[in-house]
Amino acid sequence: MSNTDNNIEELKRILEDMINEKIPIHLGCHRLSGMYHSGNEIVWYDFDEYYNKLNDIPLPSQYLLWNEVALEVKLKKLDEYKVQVLGMAEELLKEIRKF
C-alpha cells in the first residue's frame, strides 16, 4: 500500500470515528489539522479553522486533569459546532469514497 493509500485510509478512519461519535469533534479536527499541515491535500482547510476555534477544549486524555465543572463548561462549546463539523466530515467522506 502506498503512502497516499495509507493517508486516505487514515483520513477515512478519522472521519468515520467522528461521524460515529467514537471520538469527539475537537479531537477529530485536531488530527485532521495535523494531516492538513503535513501536506495532505485531501483534507479541507475548514477542519483546521474549526480546530483553531476548539483548541481551548481539552483533549480526552486531559479530562481527568480538569475540574469537573470547568470541563463541563468547555465541553458544551462542542455542541455549538457539532452539526457543522459532522456535516463537513460526511461530505468529505463521500468525496473520498469516489476515489
Side-chain angles (χ1 to χ4, degrees):
M1 193 179 286
S2 73
N3 197 27
T4 301
D5 291 340
N6 285 335
N7 285 338
I8 290 173
E9 289 306 312
E10 180 183 2
L11 180 55
K12 283 182 187 177
R13 266 192 309 279
I14 294 169
L15 294 169
E16 288 170 349
D17 285 351
M18 289 172 67
I19 293 164
N20 295 321
E21 298 188 34
K22 290 182 181 177
I23 61 171
I25 61 169
H26 67 304
L27 178 56
C29 288
H30 172 75
R31 292 178 179 167
L32 295 172
S33 176
M35 291 180 79
Y36 174 80
H37 287 286
S38 294
N40 188 318
E41 296 176 3
I42 299 171
V43 178
W44 295 342
Y45 176 76
D46 303 89
F47 289 106
D48 184 57
E49 287 184 351
Y50 278 111
Y51 172 63
N52 287 326
K53 291 178 183 179
L54 300 171
N55 70 4
D56 64 321
I57 300 171
L59 296 172
S61 62
Q62 301 167 327
Y63 289 176
L64 294 176
L65 303 174
W66 278 70
N67 169 286
E68 203 171 307
V69 175
L71 177 62
E72 187 176 317
V73 169
K74 288 286 186 182
L75 293 178
K76 283 184 181 181
K77 186 176 176 182
L78 293 176
D79 292 335
E80 295 175 33
Y81 296 100
K82 187 174 183 175
V83 172
Q84 299 98 313
V85 171
L86 291 180
M88 272 193 338
E90 289 172 356
E91 273 186 63
L92 181 54
L93 189 57
K94 284 178 191 174
E95 288 293 316
I96 292 170
R97 287 185 173 152
K98 292 179 184 177
F99 292 142

